[in-house]
Amino acid sequence: MSRFRFVFVVFYFTGILILVVYLRSANNRIFYQLSMQTVEQEYLNQELGQKQLRLEQLINPTSVSERLED
């Protein structure tokens, strides 16, 4: 019976360690994806800001009157 308990404990701890490694790798994968999405979101925010500035330059009354004069 003692040998059975020892084998059971070894398999139990082995299973726990495999689960921990799996969860850690899944955590790293999710963190990487989150980081990539954050970077992409910042890039899109910068691009949107540039487009808004360009739009404001196009509809600014002084620039419109300058274009009409040309």
Side-chain angles (χ1 to χ4, degrees), residues 33-48:
Q33 290 175 349
L34 178 63
S35 298
M36 292 302 295
Q37 293 297 323
T38 304
V39 168
E40 184 178 354
Q41 185 177 10
E42 289 174 2
Y43 171 74
L44 291 173
N45 282 336
Q46 288 178 353
E47 189 176 343
L48 177 62

Side-chain angles (χ1 to χ4, degrees), residues 8-61:
F8 177 75
V9 168
V10 167
F11 278 121
Y12 179 78
F13 282 121
T14 303
I16 294 294
L17 290 175
I18 290 171
L19 179 65
V20 166
V21 168
Y22 171 75
L23 290 176
R24 186 169 178 163
S25 66
N27 185 31
N28 288 340
R29 217 173 21 253
I30 290 171
F31 179 75
Y32 174 75
Q33 290 175 349
L34 178 63
S35 298
M36 292 302 295
Q37 293 297 323
T38 304
V39 168
E40 184 178 354
Q41 185 177 10
E42 289 174 2
Y43 171 74
L44 291 173
N45 282 336
Q46 288 178 353
E47 189 176 343
L48 177 62
Q50 291 172 354
K51 288 186 179 191
Q52 286 175 338
L53 288 175
R54 177 78 176 127
L55 177 65
E56 288 177 9
Q57 288 175 352
L58 292 174
I59 62 174
N60 188 358

Side-chain angles (χ1 to χ4, degrees), residues 1-8:
M1 193 58 129
S2 173
R3 178 174 244 165
F4 175 73
R5 286 184 189 165
F6 177 73
V7 170
F8 177 75

